[in-house]
């Protein structure tokens, strides 16, 4: 009897999976609205040392009394078949921390990212001060480890993956296989489905989808940007290293621009 029940249970499980696969609806094209949240208190505090002037410390205390802890920025990811295009929205804010402490990449959005999953390449338009670069290279390499943890994001059941990139940046990501495109916000990719949530705990920033819309997407809506000085990752890093070599926060700036 026990053996019969076990066999029936296995049959039910297999039939259930087959029916789910048969009737599941996968999104092949559409757009995803993302919200980027930056912990400005933590970000500013990292730059304050024992040698910082009293004016900086006083400005930070005043900022905490007048401004919210988190800065919110918006962006849109458009996807179709094997391509995606991530475009940040105009900041549209007058954040005091950005104005007083400097408009660093961590507290802004400088990247327009086009991924071609067939060619396994990315084209990233980056704004560095007044200059625009066009960084063309292979897709970013991230070491992923998929877990069993699940989370609902924008109406999709997403699975957690932990990752490591640039040798030292720890990533927590959530992806859904209901959007069968290995892409995500910014240049995060490499998982078996669309990434709808990303957290960089030690960088004090997150990206999470707030709305997913299924719709036809013309090819020109996922076309890669073309404006900017053409470089690859290595040459771009060399340019940044030279640009920031005399700055106290050179390593932080380099990391933020390379993200």
């Amino acid at each position: 009897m026990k053996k019969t029940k076990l066999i029936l249970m296995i049959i039910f499980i297999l039939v259930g999976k087959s029916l789910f696969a048969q009737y599941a609806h996968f999104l092949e094209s559409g757009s995803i609205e993302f919200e980027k949240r930056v912990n400005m208190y933590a970000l500013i505090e990292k730059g304050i040392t024992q040698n910082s002037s009293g004016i900086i410390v006083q400005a930070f205390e005043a900022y905490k009394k007048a401004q919210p802890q988190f800065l919110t920025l918006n962006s849109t990811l458009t996807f179709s078949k094997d391509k995606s295009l991530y475009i940040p929205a105009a900041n549209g804010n007058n954040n005091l921390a950005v104005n007083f402490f400097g408009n660093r990449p961590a507290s802004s959005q400088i990247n327009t990212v086009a991924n071609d999953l067939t060619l396994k390449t990315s084209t990233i338009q980056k704004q560095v001060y007044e200059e625009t670069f066009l960084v063309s290279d292979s897709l970013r390499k991230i070491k992923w480890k998929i877990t069993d943890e699940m989370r609902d994001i924008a109406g999709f059941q997403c699975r957690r993956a932990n990752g490591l990139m640039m040798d030292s940046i720890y990533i927590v990501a959530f992806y859904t296989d209901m959007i069968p495109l290995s892409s995500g916000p910014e240049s995060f990719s490499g998982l078996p489905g669309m990434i709808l949530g990303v957290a960089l705990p030690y960088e004090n920033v997150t990206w999470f989808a707030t709305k997913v819309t299924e719709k036809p997407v013309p090819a020109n809506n996922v076309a890669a940007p073309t404006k900017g000085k053409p470089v690859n990752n290595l040459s771009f890093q060399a340019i940044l290293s030279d640009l920031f070599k005399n700055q106290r926060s050179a390593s932080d700036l380099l990391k933020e621009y390379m993200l």
Side-chain angles (χ1 to χ4, degrees):
M1 181 64 73
K2 290 183 178 180
K3 185 176 182 181
T4 302
K5 286 183 178 180
L6 179 59
I7 293 172
L8 288 173
M9 187 180 297
I10 293 173
I11 291 173
F12 284 139
I13 292 172
L14 293 175
V15 170
K17 287 185 177 180
S18 177
L19 288 173
F20 175 79
Q22 183 177 353
Y23 293 105
H25 182 64
F26 297 92
L27 277 65
E28 295 187 350
S29 65
S31 65
I32 306 170
E33 295 177 20
F34 281 94
E35 183 179 85
K36 176 182 179 181
R37 284 169 58 84
V38 186
N39 186 338
M40 294 302 298
Y41 292 2
L43 192 65
I44 297 168
E45 198 166 21
K46 283 181 178 179
I48 297 177
T49 66
Q50 292 181 342
N51 297 323
S52 296
S53 68
I55 295 176
I56 295 294
V57 175
Q58 291 174 16
F60 179 42
E61 292 302 319
Y63 173 81
K64 286 194 292 183
K65 293 178 181 178
Q67 297 294 320
Q69 182 174 359
F70 291 93
L71 172 67
T72 301
L73 303 168
N74 299 308
S75 55
T76 301
L77 177 69
T78 304
F79 63 95
S80 180
K81 295 182 180 179
D82 62 345
K83 294 182 179 180
S84 67
L85 180 64
Y86 175 84
I87 301 177
N91 283 359
N93 69 75
N94 192 30
N95 187 275
L96 292 178
V98 172
N99 294 335
F100 187 83
F101 294 98
N103 189 13
R104 290 174 53 162
S107 58
S108 58
Q109 299 190 111
I110 63 167
N111 299 323
T112 296
V113 184
N115 285 342
D116 187 317
L117 283 308
T118 297
L119 298 177
K120 300 186 185 305
T121 59
S122 70
T123 301
I124 307 175
Q125 187 180 69
K126 285 180 177 280
Q127 193 69 31
V128 182
Y129 299 129
E130 301 302 320
E131 190 165 5
T132 302
F133 291 88
L134 200 63
V135 186
S136 299
D137 216 308
S138 57
L139 292 172
R140 183 187 295 280
K141 291 179 173 60
I142 302 175
K143 297 178 181 178
W144 291 113
K145 183 177 181 180
I146 297 173
T147 75
D148 294 327
E149 182 180 336
M150 303 295 292
R151 177 172 177 174
D152 183 279
I153 300 175
F156 289 82
Q157 278 295 301
C158 298
R159 185 177 295 276
R160 174 174 172 168
N162 301 324
L164 187 69
M165 69 179 191
M166 295 167 61
D167 296 326
S168 61
I169 299 180
Y170 173 62
I171 314 166
V172 175
F174 294 89
Y175 72 94
T176 174
D177 54 11
M178 301 307 290
I179 306 177
L181 189 72
S182 182
S183 192
E186 293 282 355
S187 55
F188 300 104
S189 63
L191 287 168
M194 180 66 74
I195 297 173
L196 296 184
V198 176
L200 305 183
Y202 301 108
E203 313 305 321
N204 309 114
V205 61
T206 63
W207 294 261
F208 277 89
T210 57
K211 183 180 179 181
V212 178
T213 303
E214 182 180 18
K215 61 182 179 180
V217 174
N220 62 318
N221 284 19
V222 288
T226 58
K227 179 185 177 182
K229 179 180 178 180
V231 292
N232 59 24
N233 283 330
L234 284 176
S235 57
F236 181 61
Q237 184 173 354
I239 291 171
L240 293 179
S241 297
D242 184 63
L243 180 64
F244 302 138
K245 62 184 178 182
N246 295 322
Q247 297 196 33
R248 181 178 59 84
S249 57
S251 60
D252 290 336
L253 284 170
L254 181 62
K255 180 171 63 176
E256 290 175 20
Y257 274 106
M258 291 299 295
L259 274 175

